Amino acid sequence: MPFDITPFQARRTRLLQTMQAAGGGVAIIATAPERIRNRDAHYSYRFDSYFYYLTGFREPEAVLVLVAGEAPRSLLFCRSKDIEREIWDGYRHGPEAARETFGFDEAHPIAELDEQLATLFANQPAIFHSVGYDSAWDARVTDALNRVRAMARSGAHAPALIRDVRSLIDEMRLIKDEAELAIMRRAADISGGAHRRAMRATRPGAWEYEIEAELLHEFRRHGSQAPAYSSIVAGGANACVLHYVENDALLKDGDLLLIDAGCELDGYASDITRTFPVNGRFSGPQKAAYELVLAAQAAAMAVTRAGAGWNDPHDAATRVLAQGFIDLGLLEGSLDGVLESGSYRQFYMHRTGHWLGLDVHDAGEYKLAGEWRPLVAGNVLTIEPGCYIRPADGVPEAFWNIGIRIEDDALVTADGCELITGSAPKSVADIEALMREA
């Protein structure tokens, strides 16, 4: 299938227009460096999300430069074509093919970047740069800026302002376009299938890592390049550790298994959590706690729509959970009292969601001018209430070591939200039926 440059060109045009509205200047956005894992072996390469969002270019050692003004330009600096290196490392586009394939106005060898930066910066009002994210890049930009200043007697002037380019791109990334949503729906579908596969494979006596292997197999065989984050496969008490990733314990009859796992597809993350019984049947206390978390998620979904505040889903879920903790005998007092004191945090200590996109915890601020930002159509976020009941004085023993989280990915619409991860079963009846069939 031919590469579609249209969405990437449109994003570059939008950023150039935003830069021009701010007074113009030059933006410089670099991709991620390659990283050594040990000795001379590298980690699998993953491009920088900001760079990829604007380019679609996946090779390392690449930089995008955007020049805003009366004649806006997009320039790519990338590795030169090198047949000898391609024998060892694989295909390289080279500047000419990259320019044609990805729709840049110009493309140059990456070796020429430092030499050209001063010329690109000269007589510009501002530099748009990821200030403070990478000290080496801060130094390169400062060096180029000082070389422009040294050209003052020849009539050149240096940019007077340095602006944070990521803050501009963050606002763009918060609203997904159709190209992004198509990929995210596919990623969600693959991940939903992986969770179904994991449920079918789970049984007492299996190991957490065996179930993780089922997830990874399903991700890869459907074209996902990698997990979007380290998979959490947490049986029994391990489910009460929010970021448990050892995945090396034996699964026991009578325990629950919490799986928080999602694939990455073409750069975009999915993020699903499901919790289910190892033996395929919820006990009474497990079912009561599970139905509570499911009700909290439903309450959060009901208020997730364009115009709602970011925190509205969290507040809705928290009210349901706090009342449920009282009803189950985990907490004492009134609902208002439990909420005001924060005692519910013994069992629910995290937020109910986060932005989702090219990063699993995606770009974008949650507050504007000190107020929770309003949701708008095109936002994608997770909705993930939970409860984590550790052994403690006053906690009925029947609930000890029950850890539950239910997480879905939601697209905000004008009148509600669309769950794009609905293919993963989550009702008690559906989960038990699937595991019974397996």
Side-chain angles (χ1 to χ4, degrees), residues 98-163:
R99 183 188 63 78
E100 294 177 1
T101 303
F102 297 91
F104 299 103
D105 298 308
E106 301 175 26
H108 305 277
I110 189 66
E112 297 179 6
L113 175 64
D114 287 325
E115 180 184 342
Q116 291 200 35
L117 270 185
T119 303
L120 289 164
F121 287 173
N123 303 318
Q124 292 290 340
I127 297 170
F128 293 80
H129 163 59
S130 302
V131 183
Y133 286 93
D134 185 317
S135 58
W137 266 106
D138 286 346
R140 286 177 84 171
V141 169
T142 300
D143 177 69
L145 190 58
N146 286 333
R147 282 186 281 128
V148 180
R149 290 169 179 152
M151 297 158 54
R153 290 187 182 181
S154 64
H157 68 80
L161 297 172
I162 297 181
R163 299 177 182 272

Side-chain angles (χ1 to χ4, degrees), residues 104-412:
F104 299 103
D105 298 308
E106 301 175 26
H108 305 277
I110 189 66
E112 297 179 6
L113 175 64
D114 287 325
E115 180 184 342
Q116 291 200 35
L117 270 185
T119 303
L120 289 164
F121 287 173
N123 303 318
Q124 292 290 340
I127 297 170
F128 293 80
H129 163 59
S130 302
V131 183
Y133 286 93
D134 185 317
S135 58
W137 266 106
D138 286 346
R140 286 177 84 171
V141 169
T142 300
D143 177 69
L145 190 58
N146 286 333
R147 282 186 281 128
V148 180
R149 290 169 179 152
M151 297 158 54
R153 290 187 182 181
S154 64
H157 68 80
L161 297 172
I162 297 181
R163 299 177 182 272
D164 182 7
V165 71
R166 291 195 177 201
S167 65
L168 302 183
I169 305 172
D170 284 351
E171 289 301 305
M172 294 170 57
R173 285 175 59 181
L174 276 172
I175 301 176
K176 271 53 181 180
D177 59 37
E178 287 304 316
E180 293 178 284
L181 291 174
I183 299 170
M184 293 187 74
R185 286 192 173 98
R186 176 65 181 144
D189 230 27
I190 294 170
S191 296
H195 279 264
R196 293 195 304 272
R197 183 187 181 105
M199 290 177 187
R200 293 190 186 101
T202 297
R203 66 195 183 283
W207 295 86
E208 291 168 342
Y209 55 75
E210 293 183 75
I211 309 307
E212 181 183 14
E214 299 291 337
L215 296 164
L216 298 176
H217 178 276
E218 197 73 3
F219 291 167
R220 196 70 184 105
R221 85 182 188 100
H222 287 288
S224 161
Q225 292 84 6
Y229 51 95
S230 296
S231 301
I232 296 169
V233 184
N238 295 333
C240 294
V241 179
L242 298 185
H243 293 155
Y244 174 82
V245 292
E246 284 82 1
N247 300 349
D248 60 0
L250 190 68
L251 298 177
K252 299 175 183 176
D253 191 12
D255 280 350
L256 292 175
L257 175 60
L258 184 156
I259 297 178
D260 187 337
C263 76
E264 180 179 292
L265 179 68
D266 295 340
Y268 285 84
S270 57
D271 190 0
I272 302 176
T273 307
R274 292 293 185 264
T275 309
F276 53 92
V278 169
N279 63 16
R281 298 178 304 279
F282 286 90
S283 71
Q286 289 172 350
K287 182 177 179 180
Y290 186 88
E291 296 280 17
L292 170 59
V293 177
L294 198 60
Q297 191 195 43
M301 288 164 46
V303 298
T304 301
R305 59 170 53 83
W310 165 261
N311 212 45
D312 291 353
H314 177 71
D315 288 342
T318 300
R319 289 189 68 84
V320 171
L321 289 169
Q323 183 61 60
F325 297 153
I326 296 169
D327 296 342
L328 293 175
L330 302 174
L331 294 175
E332 295 181 350
S334 67
L335 174 59
D336 289 341
V338 164
L339 290 171
E340 185 177 350
S341 69
S343 60
Y344 68 86
R345 294 192 185 96
Q346 179 180 352
F347 308 111
Y348 180 53
M349 63 293 295
H350 61 77
R351 306 291 299 175
T352 306
H354 53 78
W355 301 127
L356 185 71
L358 279 165
D359 299 308
V360 69
H361 292 162
D362 206 33
E365 299 293 340
Y366 293 93
K367 281 188 171 183
L368 296 174
E371 300 294 330
W372 294 111
R373 76 183 304 150
L375 299 175
V376 299
N379 290 157
V380 179
L381 64 150
T382 63
I383 304 177
E384 50 176 306
C387 75
Y388 313 90
I389 309 171
R390 295 167 181 78
D393 292 341
V395 174
E397 190 171 348
F399 288 98
W400 285 7
N401 296 320
I402 289 179
I404 296 167
R405 185 163 61 253
I406 304 171
E407 178 179 20
D408 283 288
D409 305 342
L411 167 64
V412 177

